Amino acid sequence: MSFKDVFQAYNWADVSAAIYQKTAADVERALGASTVTLDDFAALLSPAAVPYLGQMAALSQRLTRQRFGNTMQLYIPLYLSNECQNICTYCGFSLDNHLQRKTLDDGEILREVAVIKKMGYDHVLLVTGEAQQRVGMDYFRHALELIRPHFANISMEVQPMDEEDYRQLQALGLHAVLVYQETYHQDDYKKHHPRGRKSNFDYRLETPDRIGRAGIHKMGLGVLIGLEDWRTDSFFTALHLQYLERRYWQTRYSISFPRLRPCAGGLPPKVEMSDRELVQLICAYRLFSPTVELSLSTRETPHFRDHVVQLGITALSAGSRTNPGGYANAEASLEQFEISDERAPATIADMLQRQGFEPVWKDWDAVYDR
Ligand code: SF4
């Protein structure tokens, strides 16, 4: 059994209709529940919950501080390569985009590492496009061996892999894997991923199962907000999260909420999500899962990030560059998408301290791996 079996028992149109039919009474029941069910979650992210946003935010804030204390984890991506053999309609690295392709060699990786370390980070998220020949397991094994001595822990956001690959990478010090479904709308998924290995919806859908079976410490889930109706997509993300939390209970989970950003050759969002709606979604996830980590990237504006850190977020990226080589050399190559919050990590850390948070520069200490 995998998540696919669970997923197939649901129908997008029915889920969507159920969400949009929720009433104030459903929302009030969800707010009073000691355990928030999936049905309650549907009520909390429905339009009927909008008038209850203040109440949701207060609850979300309390639950988050109870579980995570006054800490805020900082993370930073290190883009190793922008080569990609997939066509994704929303991404600057898409194969049909004629841009200069770059994969970092050892010297370039170490130069990026040095800049990131100087910013204060002891944790890094390695990111690549999907180019099996150039950036496959051999490249990853080598990159991990090269980078591991410099950081307490390492996360990866690369193409979905087989279970055995995840096992091997974990043995080399990989701590977390992020893999976003982009959208759970199967027909639209095909439209947005017309070519390349990523067009295989099922293989992607079952990736968290392979990560869970491989025993990776932590995994990140999410959808790309803007491709489809965010409420329905988020319901499926929560369904996926619930299934995984029960089945791979020793794994930690995080959720991200990337809103579609402009990029070279990219498409405009089909669905716009307002700031208030994003706050509603963050609070709904927190009420649904008091232990899930919720992270916010530099796609969001400084104003929005400064306000939302109090309401349920537990991790922020800061100082990000989304082009390979972009830390050591600002002009290195084309970025994956535009950044909204350009502030330096030290500035973000000051902002957090002023708001009563302790910035945390790593997710895990290497001593626990022994
Ligand atoms: S989203 Fe990922 S797989 Fe798709 S084009 Fe961009 S880098 Fe390649």
Side-chain angles (χ1 to χ4, degrees):
M1 184 187 162
S2 75
F3 178 66
K4 194 175 154 196
D5 303 294
V6 177
F7 178 74
Q8 282 173 339
Y10 287 80
N11 167 290
W12 179 280
D14 293 346
V15 167
S16 193
I19 294 169
Y20 283 89
Q21 282 160 14
K22 293 291 181 199
T23 63
D26 296 322
V27 178
E28 285 172 22
R29 199 171 35 248
L31 285 169
S34 54
T35 305
V36 172
T37 64
L38 262 174
D39 197 45
D40 293 332
F41 178 72
L44 293 172
L45 53 75
S46 74
V50 172
Y52 297 87
L53 193 53
Q55 219 176 316
M56 284 172 67
L59 258 175
S60 171
Q61 186 172 16
R62 184 159 59 76
L63 284 170
T64 308
R65 297 286 78 79
Q66 248 171 29
R67 174 70 177 80
F68 295 90
N70 291 322
T71 60
M72 186 67 63
Q73 194 185 113
L74 293 172
Y75 68 96
I76 193 162
L78 166 48
Y79 277 72
L80 295 173
S81 173
N82 64 9
E83 297 193 43
C84 192
Q85 287 156 355
N86 289 323
I87 293 185
C88 298
T89 56
Y90 46 81
C91 177
F93 295 171
S94 188
L95 178 69
D96 54 351
N97 250 340
H98 298 290
L99 58 105
Q100 205 189 344
R101 302 287 170 169
K102 172 137 198 80
T103 296
L104 301 188
D105 62 25
D106 290 7
E108 289 165 328
I109 292 176
L110 290 173
R111 278 199 285 283
E112 295 291 275
V113 163
V115 179
I116 290 173
K117 290 291 290 186
K118 236 180 167 169
M119 293 176 185
Y121 286 100
D122 199 11
H123 168 204
V124 74
L125 167 66
L126 306 182
V127 186
T128 67
E130 179 163 351
Q132 299 288 345
Q133 304 296 335
R134 189 95 170 79
V135 195
M137 272 299 281
D138 287 345
Y139 184 87
F140 293 140
R141 266 190 290 264
H142 181 69
L144 271 176
E145 279 166 356
L146 192 67
I147 297 168
R148 185 74 178 96
H150 302 279
F151 291 98
N153 64 291
I154 298 179
S155 306
M156 259 185 158
E157 187 180 333
V158 303
Q159 68 267 25
M161 289 186 273
D162 292 340
E163 185 179 328
E164 184 48 34
D165 294 337
Y166 288 128
R167 267 184 223 290
Q168 285 185 26
L169 294 176
Q170 182 173 36
L172 292 171
L174 177 64
H175 176 252
V177 178
L178 280 55
V179 61
Y180 305 129
Q181 186 59 33
E182 317 297 13
T183 177
Y184 287 86
H185 190 298
Q186 202 157 352
D187 292 340
D188 270 20
Y189 183 92
K190 292 264 184 259
K191 282 185 213 151
H192 291 297
H193 308 98
R195 189 168 147 201
R197 287 166 59 107
K198 195 167 175 179
S199 59
N200 186 339
F201 180 87
D202 288 351
Y203 187 70
R204 197 164 187 94
L205 191 69
E206 293 185 312
T207 305
D209 275 288
R210 296 193 299 278
I211 298 170
R213 285 196 299 269
I216 299 274
H217 294 303
K218 174 174 155 182
M219 71 174 104
L221 310 172
V223 291
L224 185 53
I225 290 169
L227 292 185
E228 252 305 326
D229 176 67
W230 64 266
R231 292 186 163 94
T232 313
D233 251 338
S234 301
F235 176 90
F236 280 105
T237 311
L239 177 71
H240 209 159
L241 174 70
Q242 185 181 69
Y243 160 86
L244 293 164
E245 280 183 336
R246 288 178 179 170
R247 198 168 177 94
Y248 310 104
W249 56 271
Q250 288 166 307
T251 301
R252 281 164 53 202
Y253 295 91
S254 71
I255 292 197
S256 305
F257 325 87
R259 288 195 277 189
L260 200 51
R261 295 282 307 149
C263 70
L267 88 171
K270 172 177 170 184
V271 184
E272 292 265 9
M273 178 194 236
S274 68
D275 286 356
R276 272 178 76 81
E277 288 171 335
L278 181 48
V279 170
Q280 182 187 352
L281 180 62
I282 290 167
C283 297
Y285 272 126
R286 173 57 64 229
L287 271 52
F288 179 64
S289 173
T291 58
V292 74
E293 298 172 26
L294 300 177
S295 61
L296 205 62
S297 77
T298 51
R299 287 169 181 257
E300 301 299 338
T301 62
H303 178 80
F304 183 75
R305 288 182 6 127
D306 289 5
H307 284 82
V308 91
V309 288
Q310 290 289 351
L311 304 181
I313 293 297
T314 61
L316 284 179
S317 55
S320 307
R321 294 276 171 275
T322 67
N323 52 335
Y327 295 109
N329 173 9
E331 301 301 319
S333 58
L334 194 85
E335 61 192 1
Q336 189 184 27
F337 57 84
E338 285 176 22
I339 301 286
S340 283
D341 188 346
E342 308 257 8
R343 292 175 295 176
T347 310
I348 301 287
D350 282 350
M351 175 277 286
L352 290 171
Q353 275 161 340
R354 278 200 307 277
Q355 293 207 45
F357 288 99
E358 180 191 346
V360 179
W361 299 89
K362 64 182 174 188
D363 182 24
W364 181 265
D365 195 283
V367 79
Y368 297 119
D369 288 334
R370 290 192 194 131

